[in-house]
Amino acid sequence: MNILLVEDDQRISSFLLKGLSEAGHNITLADSGEKAREILHTYDFDIILMDIMLPGLDGMQLTQIIRFKGNYTPILVLSALNSPDDKIKMLDLGADDYLSKPFHFEELISRIKALTRRNKLSYQKEDNLLSCGTITIDTDLHKVTQNGNEIEFSPTEYKLFTFLMENKNKVLSRTQILHNVWGIDFDSSTNVVDVYISYVRNKIDETEQKIIHTVKGTGYLIKD
């Protein structure tokens, strides 16, 4: 596959270029956010591997730009910043997964395969519309509407709501939601799922029909 690597540390980029090339991938290196932005104007990639701490335009700003322009290429963050707050912030901005440095190369390959497989499956779905009551999600356009009015979701809110809609009429535990939406292992005591459920509920109209149901002691459920 075609991979864009955004990394300014020459030691790390050399290691990744060698390993990923030997694994059969085509790698394009950008050692700054500005270079990555220019490359993305011209070329398409299967996945973007991105550091956060870059000279000039950093990884957070670059992720925002990529998503603002409607580019939904999977972004896997590779960063020495490993606090839950750093991970949550990058995922909120639109990144798809987060791998803390140092990491095992085999895990990197596994994460790349998982993200690209998930992305390809989403494109292979014949029906790009998910619906429940008056709400519809167009997964091609990443657009959520209710009674014809568009709902503005953050990237994480959209990912959470879409995951719930994809599993309509099925109870999802907080652990399942954390794994599939945030893609990383959080401490089980975190309340990030409940916080984001409340964000989503504040943006949808449940006066005519309750959309998101709380299953006490288990998790959440969307049902018709």
Side-chain angles (χ1 to χ4, degrees):
M1 64 185 72
N2 293 316
I3 299 174
L4 174 61
L5 173 62
V6 190
E7 173 62 69
D8 66 316
D9 188 316
Q10 188 173 358
R11 180 180 59 84
I12 295 174
S13 63
S14 296
F15 165 73
L16 291 175
L17 284 169
K18 183 175 184 295
L20 292 169
S21 297
E22 290 177 352
H25 303 299
N26 298 314
I27 318 300
T28 300
L29 174 64
D31 60 8
S32 71
E34 287 82 2
K35 287 184 180 178
R37 181 178 58 189
E38 292 305 313
I39 291 170
L40 287 165
H41 279 321
T42 308
Y43 301 102
D44 293 324
F45 296 90
D46 296 298
I47 191 168
I48 301 168
L49 308 182
M50 184 189 300
D51 188 16
I52 295 178
M53 296 184 291
L54 299 166
L57 190 69
D58 66 26
M60 291 185 181
Q61 296 168 317
L62 180 59
T63 298
Q64 286 180 296
I65 290 170
I66 291 171
R67 296 304 187 232
F68 178 77
K69 291 183 176 296
N71 184 337
Y72 295 103
T73 302
I75 296 175
L76 171 54
V77 177
L78 308 176
S79 178
L81 302 176
N82 60 7
S83 74
D85 287 343
D86 292 320
K87 296 174 183 179
I88 290 171
K89 186 168 185 179
M90 280 303 294
L91 294 165
D92 284 351
L93 292 174
D96 296 276
D97 201 355
Y98 196 111
L99 189 57
S100 298
K101 299 175 182 176
F103 51 81
H104 292 290
F105 186 74
E106 292 77 11
E107 182 178 4
L108 172 63
I109 293 295
S110 179
R111 298 281 188 106
I112 289 172
K113 288 179 179 178
L115 281 177
T116 53
R117 181 170 59 245
R118 191 186 312 162
N119 196 49
K120 287 177 182 177
L121 284 173
S122 69
Y123 280 110
Q124 289 171 357
K125 290 180 180 176
E126 292 183 5
D127 188 359
N128 67 328
L129 298 179
L130 302 170
S131 63
C132 180
T134 59
I135 296 181
T136 300
I137 300 177
D138 186 322
T139 56
D140 283 348
L141 298 176
H142 284 234
K143 184 177 180 180
V144 183
T145 56
Q146 185 169 25
N147 290 318
N149 299 313
E150 185 171 357
I151 301 172
E152 294 290 340
F153 280 146
S154 72
T156 301
E157 291 166 355
Y158 172 82
K159 195 181 298 185
L160 169 61
F161 193 58
T162 300
F163 180 60
L164 292 172
M165 289 279 274
E166 287 173 339
N167 292 275
K168 188 170 64 174
N169 300 318
K170 178 181 177 182
V171 177
L172 297 171
S173 69
R174 288 175 176 80
T175 301
Q176 287 175 299
I177 296 171
L178 282 170
H179 176 73
N180 285 277
V181 176
W182 279 266
I184 50 179
D185 295 324
F186 280 89
D187 186 313
S188 59
S189 64
T190 181
N191 68 341
V192 67
V193 172
D194 307 286
V195 169
Y196 272 85
I197 288 288
S198 70
Y199 290 165
V200 171
R201 278 176 166 158
N202 287 334
K203 292 186 177 182
I204 63 177
D205 183 0
E206 295 185 303
T207 54
E208 294 181 16
Q209 174 190 356
K210 190 169 181 61
I211 304 296
I212 303 175
H213 299 261
T214 302
V215 182
K216 193 171 181 181
T218 303
Y220 295 96
L221 161 73
I222 282 183
K223 66 179 180 180
D224 291 318

